[in-house]
Amino acid sequence: MFKKIALGFLAVAATSALALSLPSAASAATTADSPSYDDYSDYWGPVYAQHRLAKSQGSVDVQWDDDQESNSVHVSGRLYDRDDRDYDEGGKCGYVQFQASDFDHDWSTVYTKKYCGFTGYKKFQFDTEDVFSLRVKVCQVGPSGGYPTRCGRWDYLYTAEAE
């Protein structure tokens, strides 16, 4: 009886050791192939358009070079269309816009995405370089495009001063 209990404990210990070693081996393989964003990383959102008829959320990761003079920013997220009206009833699509300022504090649009499809979402991701600040705004836009309307406020995702 004592021998069976001891073998049971050994089996559990061996299985636990194997299970604990697998995630670290898997993460080592992925970090060798992809860049490491360890200088700044955070989740953002949800950010809404007016009346909450569109929303977006995701993550932002920043990696500075060795001299701390340049950076790479990776943004990923989801854009949701929450307007359940038909387009002939005035329904619109979700629209997200990202702007970045350079080190001279000049703002420019670096990414936009439109998604039409109530109850669903569209994944997106993009990279940009040399960013001092990054902000996002969610709006609505017609299914065939046009000028974004019913925008929410700008939400600041990253500022180099904060680091």
Side-chain angles (χ1 to χ4, degrees):
M1 175 78 170
F2 180 71
K3 192 174 186 180
K4 286 183 180 181
I5 293 173
L7 283 175
F9 279 126
L10 283 174
V12 168
T15 305
S16 298
L18 179 63
L20 291 174
S21 68
L22 287 178
S24 57
S27 66
T30 57
T31 56
D33 298 336
S34 59
S36 168
Y37 291 99
D38 58 358
D39 290 326
Y40 178 84
S41 183
D42 199 9
Y43 291 100
W44 56 270
V47 179
Y48 292 95
Q50 285 183 359
H51 311 296
R52 296 182 170 246
L53 294 176
K55 83 171 183 176
S56 189
Q57 62 190 38
S59 65
V60 59
D61 302 298
V62 180
Q63 178 66 44
W64 284 85
D65 68 359
D66 292 337
D67 299 325
Q68 299 292 307
E69 295 176 354
S70 177
N71 63 19
S72 299
V73 177
H74 178 78
V75 177
S76 62
R78 294 178 177 181
L79 174 60
Y80 297 82
D81 176 7
R82 298 168 43 119
D83 193 343
D84 64 350
R85 298 174 296 168
D86 290 333
Y87 301 128
D88 58 347
E89 295 173 342
K92 298 197 180 294
C93 305
Y95 179 85
V96 65
Q97 177 183 10
F98 292 86
Q99 286 187 345
S101 73
D102 58 19
F103 295 109
D104 293 327
H105 305 287
D106 295 322
W107 289 97
S108 62
T109 299
V110 293
Y111 185 81
T112 62
K113 186 68 158 181
K114 176 179 84 167
Y115 174 66
C116 304
F118 175 68
T119 71
Y121 63 86
K122 180 78 166 186
K123 289 184 180 182
F124 62 85
Q125 66 178 358
F126 68 94
D127 297 301
T128 187
E129 305 287 326
D130 299 329
V131 174
F132 182 79
S133 291
L134 181 70
R135 63 188 182 183
V136 61
K137 178 169 63 173
V138 178
C139 305
Q140 287 188 285
V141 69
S144 57
Y147 190 76
T149 61
R150 298 185 184 110
C151 297
R153 62 179 175 75
W154 284 109
D155 193 16
Y156 287 79
L157 306 182
Y158 170 76
T159 300
E161 284 179 343
E163 283 193 75

